[in-house]
Amino acid sequence: MDRNQRSRRQKAAATPSANQRPAPRSMKSRLGLTKKAQPAGQPRRARPVQQPTGQRTGPQQGVDSRGNTKARRPQQNPQKAAYRQNPNRRPPRRVTHAEQLRRRRQRAVLGALLVFAVLVGGIILSVNLLFKVTDFRVENTDGSTPANTGVYTEDQIIELLGISEGDSLFGFSAREKSQFLLSNLPYLDVADVGTQMPGTVVVKVQPATERFMMEYAGQWLVLSDHLKVLRTSDSQPDGLIWLEADIPQGQATTPGSFLSLQAQTEEQATAETSHISAQDTLEQMMTALEENGLKDGISVIDMTDLSELNFLYQGRVSVTLGTANNLDYKIRFAATLILDVNGTGLTSSDRGTLDVSRQLEDGNIEATFNSDTSTPTPAPTPTPEGDGDETGEGADATGSGGDSTETTPTPEPTPVPEG
Protein backbone atom coordinates (compact mmCIF):
# COMPACT_ATOMS: atom_id res chain seq x y z
CA MET A 1 0.00 0.00 0.00
CA ASP A 2 1.48 3.24 -1.04
CA ARG A 3 1.72 6.36 1.08
CA ASN A 4 -1.24 8.13 -0.54
CA GLN A 5 -3.58 5.24 0.11
CA ARG A 6 -2.62 5.12 3.80
CA SER A 7 -3.23 8.80 4.20
CA ARG A 8 -6.67 8.57 2.59
CA ARG A 9 -7.70 5.81 4.94
CA GLN A 10 -6.50 7.70 7.96
CA LYS A 11 -8.42 10.79 6.88
CA ALA A 12 -11.56 8.70 6.34
CA ALA A 13 -11.27 7.16 9.76
CA ALA A 14 -10.79 10.56 11.37
CA THR A 15 -13.67 12.26 9.46
CA PRO A 16 -17.15 11.34 10.86
CA SER A 17 -19.84 10.29 8.51
CA ALA A 18 -22.79 12.43 7.63
CA ASN A 19 -25.11 10.30 9.71
CA GLN A 20 -23.01 10.68 12.83
CA ARG A 21 -23.59 13.79 14.98
CA PRO A 22 -21.31 15.05 17.69
CA ALA A 23 -22.38 14.30 21.21
CA PRO A 24 -24.20 17.20 22.84
CA ARG A 25 -22.08 19.28 25.18
CA SER A 26 -23.03 19.35 28.84
CA MET A 27 -23.63 22.51 30.86
CA LYS A 28 -20.32 22.05 32.71
CA SER A 29 -18.41 21.88 29.47
CA ARG A 30 -20.17 24.99 28.20
CA LEU A 31 -19.26 26.85 31.38
CA GLY A 32 -15.70 25.62 31.19
CA LEU A 33 -15.89 23.55 34.36
CA THR A 34 -14.78 20.26 32.79
CA LYS A 35 -11.18 19.34 32.25
CA LYS A 36 -9.89 19.60 28.76
CA ALA A 37 -9.46 16.31 26.96
CA GLN A 38 -5.94 15.13 26.51
CA PRO A 39 -4.97 15.69 22.84
CA ALA A 40 -4.56 12.51 20.86
CA GLY A 41 -1.05 11.43 20.27
CA GLN A 42 0.36 13.19 23.39
CA PRO A 43 1.41 11.13 26.35
CA ARG A 44 -0.25 11.96 29.66
CA ARG A 45 1.97 13.92 31.97
CA ALA A 46 2.87 12.07 35.07
CA ARG A 47 2.01 13.86 38.33
CA PRO A 48 5.15 14.69 40.20
CA VAL A 49 5.65 12.45 43.15
CA GLN A 50 6.10 14.45 46.37
CA GLN A 51 8.93 13.13 48.38
CA PRO A 52 9.17 13.37 52.15
CA THR A 53 10.80 16.48 53.49
CA GLY A 54 13.82 14.70 54.79
CA GLN A 55 14.44 12.83 51.47
CA ARG A 56 14.45 15.81 49.07
CA THR A 57 17.82 16.19 47.48
CA GLY A 58 17.20 18.24 44.36
CA PRO A 59 15.16 21.29 43.49
CA GLN A 60 11.42 20.92 43.88
CA GLN A 61 9.26 21.00 40.75
CA GLY A 62 6.08 23.02 40.52
CA VAL A 63 3.48 23.83 37.84
CA ASP A 64 2.51 27.38 37.04
CA SER A 65 -0.89 28.60 35.84
CA ARG A 66 -0.04 27.69 32.26
CA GLY A 67 0.89 24.12 33.06
CA ASN A 68 4.62 24.62 32.68
CA THR A 69 6.94 23.16 35.20
CA LYS A 70 9.24 25.45 37.17
CA ALA A 71 11.92 24.82 39.61
CA ARG A 72 11.32 25.84 43.24
CA ARG A 73 13.90 27.35 45.43
CA PRO A 74 15.34 24.96 47.93
CA GLN A 75 14.36 25.64 51.56
CA GLN A 76 17.09 27.56 53.29
CA ASN A 77 18.35 27.03 56.77
CA PRO A 78 18.01 30.25 58.85
CA GLN A 79 21.04 29.23 60.90
CA LYS A 80 23.42 29.34 57.95
CA ALA A 81 25.36 32.43 57.03
CA ALA A 82 23.97 32.50 53.49
CA TYR A 83 20.37 32.72 54.74
CA ARG A 84 18.45 35.69 53.35
CA GLN A 85 15.05 36.58 54.58
CA ASN A 86 12.27 37.15 52.10
CA PRO A 87 12.38 40.89 51.30
CA ASN A 88 8.61 40.96 50.70
CA ARG A 89 7.84 39.70 54.17
CA ARG A 90 7.53 42.28 56.99
CA PRO A 91 9.91 41.52 59.83
CA PRO A 92 8.29 40.98 63.25
CA ARG A 93 8.05 44.10 65.44
CA ARG A 94 10.57 44.23 68.23
CA VAL A 95 9.11 44.60 71.73
CA THR A 96 11.04 47.18 73.74
CA HIS A 97 11.88 46.91 77.42
CA ALA A 98 9.59 49.84 78.28
CA GLU A 99 6.67 48.12 76.59
CA GLN A 100 7.38 44.92 78.50
CA LEU A 101 7.35 46.87 81.75
CA ARG A 102 4.09 48.57 80.76
CA ARG A 103 2.47 45.24 80.00
CA ARG A 104 3.64 43.87 83.33
CA ARG A 105 2.18 46.86 85.15
CA GLN A 106 -1.10 46.48 83.32
CA ARG A 107 -1.29 42.82 84.27
CA ALA A 108 -0.42 43.69 87.88
CA VAL A 109 -3.11 46.39 88.01
CA LEU A 110 -5.71 44.08 86.53
CA GLY A 111 -4.79 41.40 89.03
CA ALA A 112 -5.01 43.85 91.94
CA LEU A 113 -8.41 45.07 90.75
CA LEU A 114 -9.65 41.52 90.48
CA VAL A 115 -8.46 40.72 94.02
CA PHE A 116 -10.00 43.95 95.34
CA ALA A 117 -13.34 43.17 93.69
CA VAL A 118 -13.33 39.70 95.24
CA LEU A 119 -12.53 41.14 98.68
CA VAL A 120 -15.24 43.80 98.45
CA GLY A 121 -17.77 41.24 97.36
CA GLY A 122 -16.79 38.98 100.25
CA ILE A 123 -17.01 41.83 102.77
CA ILE A 124 -20.44 42.93 101.54
CA LEU A 125 -21.67 39.38 101.63
CA SER A 126 -20.31 38.77 105.13
CA VAL A 127 -21.68 42.07 106.45
CA ASN A 128 -25.16 41.42 105.15
CA LEU A 129 -25.31 37.79 106.17
CA LEU A 130 -23.07 37.37 109.23
CA PHE A 131 -23.14 40.57 111.34
CA LYS A 132 -26.63 41.00 112.79
CA VAL A 133 -27.85 43.09 115.72
CA THR A 134 -28.22 40.83 118.74
CA ASP A 135 -27.91 43.14 121.76
CA PHE A 136 -28.22 46.78 122.93
CA ARG A 137 -26.19 48.50 125.66
CA VAL A 138 -26.61 52.00 127.16
CA GLU A 139 -23.63 53.33 129.12
CA ASN A 140 -22.05 56.56 130.37
CA THR A 141 -19.51 58.48 128.33
CA ASP A 142 -16.66 56.86 130.28
CA GLY A 143 -18.01 53.37 129.52
CA SER A 144 -19.37 52.69 133.01
CA THR A 145 -22.74 51.12 133.73
CA PRO A 146 -25.51 51.51 134.79
CA ALA A 147 -25.95 54.61 132.69
CA ASN A 148 -27.24 57.90 134.07
CA THR A 149 -30.00 58.64 131.57
CA GLY A 150 -31.58 61.53 133.47
CA VAL A 151 -35.33 61.84 132.99
CA TYR A 152 -35.41 59.04 130.41
CA THR A 153 -35.18 55.27 130.68
CA GLU A 154 -32.95 52.93 128.72
CA ASP A 155 -35.97 51.32 127.06
CA GLN A 156 -37.14 54.70 125.78
CA ILE A 157 -33.72 55.41 124.27
CA ILE A 158 -33.45 51.98 122.61
CA GLU A 159 -37.00 52.16 121.27
CA LEU A 160 -36.37 55.59 119.78
CA LEU A 161 -33.35 54.25 117.87
CA GLY A 162 -35.61 52.36 115.47
CA ILE A 163 -33.23 49.38 115.27
CA SER A 164 -34.49 45.84 115.76
CA GLU A 165 -32.70 42.61 116.52
CA GLY A 166 -31.76 40.80 113.35
CA ASP A 167 -31.03 43.99 111.39
CA SER A 168 -27.64 44.38 109.77
CA LEU A 169 -25.10 45.85 112.18
CA PHE A 170 -23.85 48.15 109.41
CA GLY A 171 -27.22 48.86 107.82
CA PHE A 172 -27.63 52.27 109.50
CA SER A 173 -25.66 55.49 109.99
CA ALA A 174 -24.45 55.90 113.57
CA ARG A 175 -24.06 59.66 113.07
CA GLU A 176 -27.63 60.09 111.89
CA LYS A 177 -28.94 58.01 114.78
CA SER A 178 -26.95 60.14 117.27
CA GLN A 179 -28.34 63.33 115.79
CA PHE A 180 -31.84 61.91 115.90
CA LEU A 181 -31.56 61.07 119.60
CA LEU A 182 -30.19 64.50 120.50
CA SER A 183 -33.02 66.24 118.66
CA ASN A 184 -35.80 64.12 120.16
CA LEU A 185 -34.39 63.80 123.68
CA PRO A 186 -33.70 67.40 124.80
CA TYR A 187 -32.49 66.45 128.29
CA LEU A 188 -29.51 64.51 126.90
CA ASP A 189 -26.39 66.56 126.28
CA VAL A 190 -24.56 63.57 124.77
CA ALA A 191 -26.05 60.67 122.80
CA ASP A 192 -23.35 58.88 120.83
CA VAL A 193 -24.44 55.75 118.94
CA GLY A 194 -21.82 53.16 118.00
CA THR A 195 -21.38 49.47 117.23
CA GLN A 196 -19.37 46.70 118.82
CA MET A 197 -18.58 43.46 117.09
CA PRO A 198 -20.06 41.02 116.55
CA GLY A 199 -23.62 42.37 117.04
CA THR A 200 -23.99 44.98 119.82
CA VAL A 201 -25.33 48.53 119.45
CA VAL A 202 -23.78 50.83 122.09
CA VAL A 203 -25.30 54.21 123.11
CA LYS A 204 -23.17 56.55 125.26
CA VAL A 205 -25.27 59.15 127.08
CA GLN A 206 -24.82 62.11 129.38
CA PRO A 207 -27.85 63.85 130.92
CA ALA A 208 -28.32 67.59 130.52
CA THR A 209 -28.53 69.94 133.52
CA GLU A 210 -30.45 73.21 133.50
CA ARG A 211 -27.69 75.83 133.86
CA PHE A 212 -28.52 79.03 131.96
CA MET A 213 -31.55 81.06 131.04
CA MET A 214 -31.69 83.49 128.12
CA GLU A 215 -34.37 85.96 127.11
CA TYR A 216 -35.14 85.70 123.42
CA ALA A 217 -38.13 86.81 121.32
CA GLY A 218 -40.33 87.49 124.30
CA GLN A 219 -39.75 84.15 126.02
CA TRP A 220 -37.17 82.51 128.23
CA LEU A 221 -34.93 79.72 126.95
CA VAL A 222 -33.62 77.21 129.47
CA LEU A 223 -30.14 76.02 128.37
CA SER A 224 -27.75 73.28 129.45
CA ASP A 225 -24.01 73.50 130.04
CA HIS A 226 -23.48 72.88 126.31
CA LEU A 227 -26.04 75.58 125.37
CA LYS A 228 -28.68 73.05 124.36
CA VAL A 229 -32.27 74.31 124.49
CA LEU A 230 -34.03 72.14 127.07
CA ARG A 231 -37.36 73.94 127.28
CA THR A 232 -39.02 77.32 126.87
CA SER A 233 -40.89 79.32 129.50
CA ASP A 234 -43.11 82.39 129.46
CA SER A 235 -41.94 83.45 132.93
CA GLN A 236 -38.41 83.87 134.22
CA PRO A 237 -37.09 80.61 135.72
CA ASP A 238 -35.54 80.55 139.16
CA GLY A 239 -32.13 79.34 140.28
CA LEU A 240 -30.42 79.62 136.86
CA ILE A 241 -27.59 81.81 135.57
CA TRP A 242 -28.85 84.64 133.41
CA LEU A 243 -26.74 84.53 130.26
CA GLU A 244 -26.65 87.82 128.39
CA ALA A 245 -25.34 87.13 124.90
CA ASP A 246 -26.30 87.59 121.27
CA ILE A 247 -27.21 84.74 118.94
CA PRO A 248 -27.30 84.84 115.12
CA GLN A 249 -30.56 85.69 113.40
CA GLY A 250 -32.58 82.70 112.29
CA GLN A 251 -31.04 80.49 114.97
CA ALA A 252 -33.24 77.50 115.85
CA THR A 253 -34.51 77.81 119.43
CA THR A 254 -36.75 74.74 119.62
CA PRO A 255 -36.12 72.21 122.42
CA GLY A 256 -33.39 69.79 121.36
CA SER A 257 -31.38 72.28 119.30
CA PHE A 258 -27.98 73.71 120.24
CA LEU A 259 -27.37 77.47 120.30
CA SER A 260 -24.30 79.14 118.86
CA LEU A 261 -23.39 82.55 120.30
CA GLN A 262 -22.94 85.53 118.02
CA ALA A 263 -19.35 86.19 117.03
CA GLN A 264 -18.00 89.59 117.98
CA THR A 265 -18.08 92.37 115.43
CA GLU A 266 -15.01 93.91 113.85
CA GLU A 267 -15.32 96.93 116.14
CA GLN A 268 -15.31 94.68 119.21
CA ALA A 269 -12.61 92.30 118.03
CA THR A 270 -9.07 92.88 119.25
CA ALA A 271 -5.78 91.11 118.73
CA GLU A 272 -6.38 89.20 121.96
CA THR A 273 -9.98 88.10 121.31
CA SER A 274 -10.21 87.69 117.53
CA HIS A 275 -9.07 84.04 117.64
CA ILE A 276 -11.33 82.97 120.55
CA SER A 277 -14.95 81.95 119.98
CA ALA A 278 -17.75 82.83 122.37
CA GLN A 279 -18.50 79.17 123.19
CA ASP A 280 -14.87 78.48 124.11
CA THR A 281 -14.74 81.61 126.26
CA LEU A 282 -17.91 80.64 128.15
CA GLU A 283 -16.67 77.09 128.72
CA GLN A 284 -13.31 78.36 129.97
CA MET A 285 -15.01 80.85 132.29
CA MET A 286 -17.36 78.23 133.80
CA THR A 287 -14.46 75.83 134.38
CA ALA A 288 -12.42 78.50 136.16
CA LEU A 289 -15.39 79.59 138.29
CA GLU A 290 -16.00 76.01 139.39
CA GLU A 291 -12.35 75.39 140.23
CA ASN A 292 -12.18 78.53 142.38
CA GLY A 293 -15.47 78.00 144.22
CA LEU A 294 -17.53 80.78 142.62
CA LYS A 295 -19.80 78.79 140.30
CA ASP A 296 -22.66 78.28 142.77
CA GLY A 297 -22.87 82.00 143.53
CA ILE A 298 -22.97 83.28 139.94
CA SER A 299 -26.29 84.90 138.99
CA VAL A 300 -25.45 86.79 135.75
CA ILE A 301 -22.82 86.38 133.02
CA ASP A 302 -22.55 89.15 130.46
CA MET A 303 -20.95 88.18 127.12
CA THR A 304 -22.51 90.74 124.82
CA ASP A 305 -19.03 92.23 124.34
CA LEU A 306 -16.11 89.77 124.47
CA SER A 307 -13.71 92.61 125.26
CA GLU A 308 -15.71 93.52 128.41
CA LEU A 309 -16.54 90.21 130.07
CA ASN A 310 -18.13 90.39 133.50
CA PHE A 311 -20.24 88.36 135.91
CA LEU A 312 -22.33 89.05 139.01
CA TYR A 313 -21.63 87.14 142.22
CA GLN A 314 -24.47 86.68 144.75
CA GLY A 315 -26.20 89.71 143.34
CA ARG A 316 -23.83 92.09 145.17
CA VAL A 317 -20.35 92.02 143.54
CA SER A 318 -20.00 92.69 139.82
CA VAL A 319 -16.60 91.45 138.56
CA THR A 320 -15.13 93.03 135.42
CA LEU A 321 -12.74 90.68 133.62
CA GLY A 322 -12.07 92.56 130.38
CA THR A 323 -10.83 90.31 127.57
CA ALA A 324 -10.38 86.57 127.70
CA ASN A 325 -6.61 86.97 127.92
CA ASN A 326 -5.30 85.25 131.11
CA LEU A 327 -8.90 84.52 132.05
CA ASP A 328 -8.01 81.75 134.53
CA TYR A 329 -5.61 84.01 136.42
CA LYS A 330 -8.12 86.89 136.57
CA ILE A 331 -10.88 84.67 137.97
CA ARG A 332 -8.49 83.14 140.51
CA PHE A 333 -7.41 86.62 141.60
CA ALA A 334 -11.05 87.78 141.92
CA ALA A 335 -11.96 84.65 143.93
CA THR A 336 -9.14 85.39 146.38
CA LEU A 337 -10.61 88.82 147.05
CA ILE A 338 -14.31 87.87 147.06
CA LEU A 339 -13.90 84.85 149.35
CA ASP A 340 -11.39 86.72 151.52
CA VAL A 341 -8.91 83.86 151.48
CA ASN A 342 -6.05 85.83 153.09
CA GLY A 343 -8.15 88.05 155.31
CA THR A 344 -7.40 91.12 153.19
CA GLY A 345 -10.26 90.87 150.71
CA LEU A 346 -13.92 91.81 150.69
CA THR A 347 -16.38 91.08 153.41
CA SER A 348 -19.69 89.30 152.98
CA SER A 349 -21.53 92.64 153.19
CA ASP A 350 -19.53 94.52 150.56
CA ARG A 351 -21.42 95.52 147.44
CA GLY A 352 -19.98 97.12 144.36
CA THR A 353 -17.83 96.52 141.26
CA LEU A 354 -14.53 94.65 141.38
CA ASP A 355 -12.30 95.39 138.40
CA VAL A 356 -9.53 92.88 137.72
CA SER A 357 -9.15 93.60 134.00
CA ARG A 358 -6.04 95.77 134.31
CA GLN A 359 -2.82 93.81 134.18
CA LEU A 360 0.55 95.50 134.59
CA GLU A 361 3.65 94.86 132.53
CA ASP A 362 5.20 92.66 135.23
CA GLY A 363 2.14 90.38 135.18
CA ASN A 364 0.50 91.61 138.37
CA ILE A 365 -3.13 92.70 138.39
CA GLU A 366 -4.08 96.11 139.71
CA ALA A 367 -7.51 95.47 141.22
CA THR A 368 -9.93 98.22 142.19
CA PHE A 369 -13.21 97.96 144.03
CA ASN A 370 -15.87 100.60 143.56
CA SER A 371 -18.27 100.41 146.48
CA ASP A 372 -21.99 100.81 145.87
CA THR A 373 -22.81 104.12 147.56
CA SER A 374 -26.52 103.42 147.46
CA THR A 375 -26.05 100.68 150.03
CA PRO A 376 -26.31 102.16 153.54
CA THR A 377 -23.24 101.79 155.70
CA PRO A 378 -23.83 100.30 159.17
CA ALA A 379 -23.75 102.90 161.94
CA PRO A 380 -20.72 102.86 164.22
CA THR A 381 -21.01 101.36 167.66
CA PRO A 382 -21.39 104.08 170.34
CA THR A 383 -18.51 104.33 172.86
CA PRO A 384 -18.40 105.70 176.42
CA GLU A 385 -17.47 109.31 177.04
CA GLY A 386 -13.81 109.94 177.61
CA ASP A 387 -12.72 107.69 174.84
CA GLY A 388 -12.65 110.40 172.24
CA ASP A 389 -9.60 109.03 170.53
CA GLU A 390 -11.19 105.61 170.03
CA THR A 391 -14.44 107.17 168.80
CA GLY A 392 -12.57 109.24 166.27
CA GLU A 393 -10.76 106.20 164.99
CA GLY A 394 -14.04 104.27 164.60
CA ALA A 395 -15.61 107.15 162.72
CA ASP A 396 -12.67 107.31 160.32
CA ALA A 397 -12.89 103.57 159.61
CA THR A 398 -16.61 103.82 158.91
CA GLY A 399 -16.15 106.75 156.64
CA SER A 400 -13.47 105.04 154.63
CA GLY A 401 -15.77 102.07 154.08
CA GLY A 402 -18.36 104.32 152.44
CA ASP A 403 -16.00 105.83 149.83
CA SER A 404 -17.04 105.40 146.22
CA THR A 405 -13.61 104.15 145.16
CA GLU A 406 -11.47 101.76 147.17
CA THR A 407 -8.29 99.94 146.24
CA THR A 408 -8.09 96.46 147.63
CA PRO A 409 -4.80 94.93 148.72
CA THR A 410 -3.08 92.55 146.38
CA PRO A 411 -3.42 88.87 147.36
CA GLU A 412 -0.48 86.50 147.67
CA PRO A 413 -0.96 84.19 144.58
CA THR A 414 1.91 84.47 142.11
CA PRO A 415 0.92 86.42 139.01
CA VAL A 416 0.91 84.68 135.64
CA PRO A 417 2.48 86.57 132.72
CA GLU A 418 0.37 87.56 129.75
CA GLY A 419 0.04 85.19 126.83
Side-chain angles (χ1 to χ4, degrees), residues 195-251:
T195 58
Q196 184 176 352
M197 305 295 287
T200 304
V201 177
V202 181
V203 183
K204 296 181 180 292
V205 297
Q206 178 180 336
T209 303
E210 295 183 354
R211 184 69 60 189
F212 305 104
M213 60 179 177
M214 177 183 291
E215 188 177 7
Y216 180 78
Q219 62 180 356
W220 292 90
L221 305 178
V222 178
L223 309 176
S224 67
D225 292 320
H226 294 81
L227 299 183
K228 184 179 183 180
V229 181
L230 304 181
R231 60 185 177 90
T232 59
S233 177
D234 296 333
S235 59
Q236 182 177 353
D238 297 331
L240 302 179
I241 300 175
W242 188 351
L243 179 61
E244 295 183 357
D246 297 330
I247 60 176
Q249 294 182 357
Q251 176 79 43

Side-chain angles (χ1 to χ4, degrees), residues 393-408:
E393 292 177 359
D396 292 342
T398 304
S400 62
D403 293 341
S404 61
T405 302
E406 179 183 1
T407 302
T408 58

Side-chain angles (χ1 to χ4, degrees), residues 71-93:
R72 295 183 179 180
R73 293 183 180 181
Q75 186 176 4
Q76 299 181 5
N77 190 355
Q79 297 180 356
K80 291 184 178 181
Y83 172 74
R84 293 182 180 180
Q85 192 175 6
N86 185 2
N88 297 327
R89 182 180 179 184
R90 179 179 295 180
R93 187 173 64 87

